[in-house]
């Protein structure tokens, strides 16, 4: 069984992001990057499925040179090979352009299963996987928290709203976007890290795939700090002073002490 | 020339979901700015309850897409049916609420119709026909404005509470049936059973004080720092989703769109960034204190008191001070 996991690299969760001078993106220079959160669950699920079904997991990542670190990490965790779609501009691309590029890069692989995370923690469109499925003519399911391969099809458990879940079945090949939660995230072992060095990483240039890179139907005009809607008292600085001020608030405003 | 704004209605138990009423409100406002009419589409095996509910709203028309194959939502069923309606009615804009269902099919529908979608928007503006969409990026740290310049239809999904459903204008709306050409073989998903998740042991909705922990706590061992504060304050522990996903605390302590909705006297959050999915579950708390080291953390936007600092330094001191104050 051939399984792809679409994996995105995003700023680390703790990054103190600042806007760039032109106000059209963040200042990336001092920022570190890591694998997107729900993509970890996608990778974990891909590895689980592969283990039980004699599968091979291919990591598919688009982005500039820095994404190679995340690819290495995924290979160290047990993925078998990778496709790196080299694209300097990926951060500002719209999801449809991203999906077209990814679909063009992987269409000849004939994957039985394509997995992605539910959404990225940077732009969070939550569309790329669904669009790849549509372009490649595959059925899909989103918000998936459990999977079970059956004969020629896959049964999945989807998260619904209000604490409900739903089971659905899809014929293979299919695309699933994975919600965080029920699987354990694998760690890279020393052996895994050693083995990762020998695993093949195919390099593809985004520009060579014949996709029109016109930026899509939506143009990012500006990015900015949102205006607060609520009046907020800000405490910062010395911890002892903060604590004294907080106690006062808890007593006199929150009235819980 | 494409004309009009189509809103796709979502419903549960034969009632229109609030997020769709919000989408209709946004569409009415956009319609007024653009000089465009608003119409709605309902999909079900029997649409009459929903079309009845909407017929007292100010809408140009409500299309009822009644078909037994639309009794259960499936991405294929909805996409095929709506594509037929969109090709027939040729709207300039399609709006849906950003629900779990919309996450599942709306982008696919947009592409099928030769359009594109901007997801999870919090505001729409139209200035002499040009549409600008605002949405949160980097998990709510910043907002981004996008302009639409596509040739096709502009699909927009709106975040919950982006518009206030109470402002939906009343009026009258004509209901028209729309016959969908759908074959069961075209629907690739087989819908099986639905069921409720595990029962809750803790009812945070009844808590007076919640100390809520997020990934900023770094490691499960650090849980005791939060527990010490909670026990000093007589508080219950709540948590963000990742903390529950990692199993530090039970899933029944999760606050947010896929967890519990709470409104305690005090919500004290430690190392929670304030992603919208978390905030919807706690923003109606009477008093909110947030401790976070990132001055841009979106949790501060809704906090009464924002403490910018290291929780590992502040919380132990706070615990001692609370004990002393009691
Ligand atoms: C469909 C869907 C449903 C979801 N449902 C929910 C839900 O119900 N509930 C929920 O919570 N989330 C939900 N999420 C996830 C949500 O989007 C966020 O990813 C999540 O809330 C983030 O959790 P967090 O704030 O703990 O972690 P992070 O976003 O990683 O934030 C950690 C914070 O800790 C701060 N921090 C780090 N170290 C320190 C320190 N030493 N001192 C002080 N501060 C520090 C950081 O600055 C950061 O702001 C959902 C997501 C999706 C897509």
């Amino acid at each position: 069984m051939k399984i792809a996991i679409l994996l995105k690299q995003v700023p680390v969760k703790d990054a103190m992001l600042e806007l760039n001078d032109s106000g059209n993106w963040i200042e990336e220079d001092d920022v570190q990057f890591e694998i997107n959160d729900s993509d970890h669950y996608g990778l974990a699920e891909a590895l689980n499925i592969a283990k039980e079904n004699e599968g091979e997991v291919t990591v598919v990542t688009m982005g500039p040179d820095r994404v190679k670190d995340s690819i290495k990490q995924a290979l160290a965790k047990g993925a078998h090979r990778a496709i790196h779609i080299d694209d300097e501009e990926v951060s500002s691309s719209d999801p449809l352009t991203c999906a077209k590029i990814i679909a063009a890069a992987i269409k000849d692989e004939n994957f039985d299963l394509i997995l992605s995370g539910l959404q990225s923690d940077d732009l969070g469109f939550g569309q790329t996987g669904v669009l790849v499925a549509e372009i490649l003519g595959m059925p899909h399911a989103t918000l998936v928290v459990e999977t079970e391969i059956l004969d020629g099809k896959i049964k999945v458990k989807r998260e619904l709203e209000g604490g409900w879940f739903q089971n659905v079945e899809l014929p293979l090949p299919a695309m699933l976007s994975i919600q965080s939660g029920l699987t354990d995230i694998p760690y890279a072992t020393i052996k895994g890290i050693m083995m990762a060095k020998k695993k093949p990483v195919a390099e593809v240039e985004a520009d060579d795939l014949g996709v029109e890179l016109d930026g899509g139907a939506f143009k990012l005009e500006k990015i900015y700090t949102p205006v607060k809607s609520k009046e907020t008292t800000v405490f910062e600085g010395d911890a002892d002073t903060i604590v004294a001020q907080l106690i006062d608030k808890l007593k006199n405003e929150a009235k819980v002490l | 020339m494409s004309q009009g704004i189509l809103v796709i209605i979502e419903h549960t138990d034969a009632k229109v979901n609030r997020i769709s009423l919000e989408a209709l409100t946004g569409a009415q406002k956009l319609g007024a700015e653009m000089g465009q009419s608003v119409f709605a589409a309902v999909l079900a095996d029997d649409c009459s309850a929903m079309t009845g509910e909407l017929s007292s709203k100010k809408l140009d028309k409500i299309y009822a897409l009644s078909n037994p194959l639309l009794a259960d939502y499936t991405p294929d069923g909805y996409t095929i049916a709506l594509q037929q309606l969109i090709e027939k009615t040729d709207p300039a804009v399609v709006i849906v609420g950003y629900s779990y269902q919309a996450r599942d099919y709306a982008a696919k529908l947009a592409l099928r119709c030769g359009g594109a979608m901007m997801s999870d928007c919090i505001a729409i503006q139209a200035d002499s026909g040009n549409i600008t969409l605002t949405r949160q990026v980097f998990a709510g740290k910043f907002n981004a404005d996008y302009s639409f310049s596509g040739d096709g239809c502009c699909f927009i999904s709106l975040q919950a509470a982006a518009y206030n459903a109470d402002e939906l204008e009343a009026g009258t709306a004509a209901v028209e049936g729309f016959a969908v050409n759908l074959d069961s073989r075209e629907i690739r998903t087989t819908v099986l059973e639905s069921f409720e998740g595990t029962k809750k042991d803790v009812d945070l909705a009844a808590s007076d004080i919640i100390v809520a922990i997020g990934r900023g706590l770094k490691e499960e061992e650090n849980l005791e720092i939060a527990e010490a504060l909670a026990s000093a304050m007589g508080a219950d522990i709540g948590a963000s989703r990742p903390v529950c996903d990692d199993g530090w605390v039970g899933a029944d302590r999760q606050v947010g769109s896929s967890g519990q909705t709470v409104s305690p006297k005090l919500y004290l959050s430690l190392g929670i960034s304030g992603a919208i999915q978390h905030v919807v579950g706690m923003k109606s708390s009477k008093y909110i204190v947030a401790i976070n080291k990132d001055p841009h953390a979106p949790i501060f936007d809704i906090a009464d008191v924002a403490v910018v600092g290291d929780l590992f330094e502040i919380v132990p001191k706070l615990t001692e001070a609370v004990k002393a104050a009691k």
Side-chain angles (χ1 to χ4, degrees), chain B:
Chain B
M1 231 329 239
S2 305
Q3 279 293 330
I5 302 166
L6 168 64
V7 178
I8 303 164
I9 302 297
E10 200 175 309
H11 49 88
T12 314
D13 298 333
K15 270 188 67 94
V16 175
N17 290 359
R18 185 166 181 89
I19 198 162
S20 295
L21 300 175
E22 293 166 0
L24 283 171
T25 310
Q28 281 181 342
K29 289 186 195 289
L30 179 67
E33 283 175 43
M34 293 176 72
Q36 300 253 358
S37 59
V38 178
F39 59 108
V42 180
L43 298 83
D45 50 348
D46 176 1
C47 299
S48 51
M50 286 73 75
T51 53
E53 184 182 341
L54 293 177
S55 60
S56 60
K57 309 298 175 204
K58 191 179 160 203
L59 298 170
D60 218 46
K61 197 175 279 179
I62 306 162
Y63 287 101
L65 283 66
S66 298
N67 189 303
L69 293 175
L70 298 173
D72 282 322
Y73 160 80
T74 56
D76 284 331
Y78 267 47
T79 301
I80 293 166
L82 286 164
Q83 184 192 8
Q84 290 170 12
L85 180 73
I86 288 167
E87 277 173 3
K88 161 89 189 308
T89 52
D90 194 24
V93 178
V94 174
I95 301 181
V96 297
Y98 194 51
S99 61
Y100 274 27
Q101 199 174 88
R103 280 174 180 275
D104 201 51
Y105 78 88
K108 171 187 167 89
L109 174 66
L111 179 55
R112 199 63 78 86
C113 295
M117 179 169 83
M118 190 49 75
S119 28
D120 206 10
C121 298
I122 54 173
I124 315 173
Q125 244 144 39
D127 190 13
S128 46
N130 297 317
I131 295 175
T132 303
L133 300 165
T134 304
R135 62 192 301 278
Q136 297 176 307
V137 292
F138 295 100
K141 272 185 200 163
F142 304 113
N143 279 359
D145 283 356
Y146 287 85
S147 62
F148 176 70
S149 57
D151 320 317
C153 181
C154 176
F155 284 72
I156 302 166
S157 69
L158 283 176
Q159 190 172 93
Y163 289 87
N164 183 353
D166 298 338
E167 293 170 16
L168 181 58
E169 284 185 64
T172 51
V175 179
E176 189 176 310
F178 181 84
V180 174
N181 195 351
L182 196 57
D183 183 327
S184 62
R185 280 166 302 187
E186 294 173 301
I187 298 177
R188 293 168 292 183
T189 308
T190 310
V191 178
L192 307 170
E193 68 283 1
S194 296
F195 47 96
E196 223 173 337
T198 43
K199 281 276 167 274
K200 298 177 179 73
D201 290 331
V202 205
D203 182 16
L204 292 180
S207 305
D208 267 344
I209 306 177
I210 294 175
V211 168
I213 53 172
R215 199 149 43 186
L217 217 62
K218 296 285 186 305
E219 285 171 25
E220 191 171 353
E221 292 79 77
N222 298 331
L223 205 63
E224 53 190 53
I225 302 174
E227 278 166 348
L229 176 61
S231 103
M233 300 198 68
D236 291 314
I237 294 275
S240 68
R241 180 165 182 139
V243 166
C244 300
D245 284 347
D246 286 349
W248 300 359
V249 298
D252 49 1
R253 297 199 180 266
Q254 182 178 317
V255 173
S257 64
S258 50
Q260 302 206 40
T261 303
V262 300
S263 51
K265 274 197 221 155
L266 171 68
Y267 193 87
L268 203 170
S269 82
L270 312 176
I272 291 182
S273 61
I276 180 67
Q277 294 87 3
H278 184 77
V279 166
V280 293
M282 48 65 73
K283 66 172 181 221
S284 57
S285 302
K286 315 290 180 298
Y287 203 82
I288 300 169
V289 176
I291 304 180
N292 196 303
K293 65 175 185 184
D294 180 359
H296 287 307
I299 190 85
F300 289 152
D301 296 350
I302 55 143
D304 295 281
V305 177
V307 178
V308 186
D310 183 353
L311 74 92
F312 296 107
E313 200 190 332
I314 295 165
V315 175
K317 292 188 172 180
L318 181 60
T319 306
E320 290 314 311
V322 167
K323 282 186 195 157
K326 272 205 159 172

Side-chain angles (χ1 to χ4, degrees), chain A residues 13 119 122-123 125 127 134 140 142 159 161 163 165 167 169 180 217 219 221-222 224 232-233 235 253, chain B residues 100 104 112 117 119 135 138 143 145 147 149 190 192-193 195 197 215 241 245 287 303-304 306 308:
Chain A
K13 286 176 218 79
Q119 67 176 43
D122 51 1
L123 294 175
F125 292 116
Q127 295 187 31
E134 172 65 12
H140 78 270
T142 56
E159 184 175 305
E161 279 157 356
F165 294 89
N167 287 334
E169 269 175 19
S180 69
K219 181 166 176 275
E221 296 291 346
K222 59 172 181 184
Y224 50 96
T232 302
T233 311
F235 294 150
E253 289 187 8
Chain B
Y100 274 27
D104 201 51
R112 199 63 78 86
M117 179 169 83
S119 28
R135 62 192 301 278
F138 295 100
N143 279 359
D145 283 356
S147 62
S149 57
T190 310
L192 307 170
E193 68 283 1
F195 47 96
R215 199 149 43 186
R241 180 165 182 139
D245 284 347
Y287 203 82
D304 295 281
V308 186

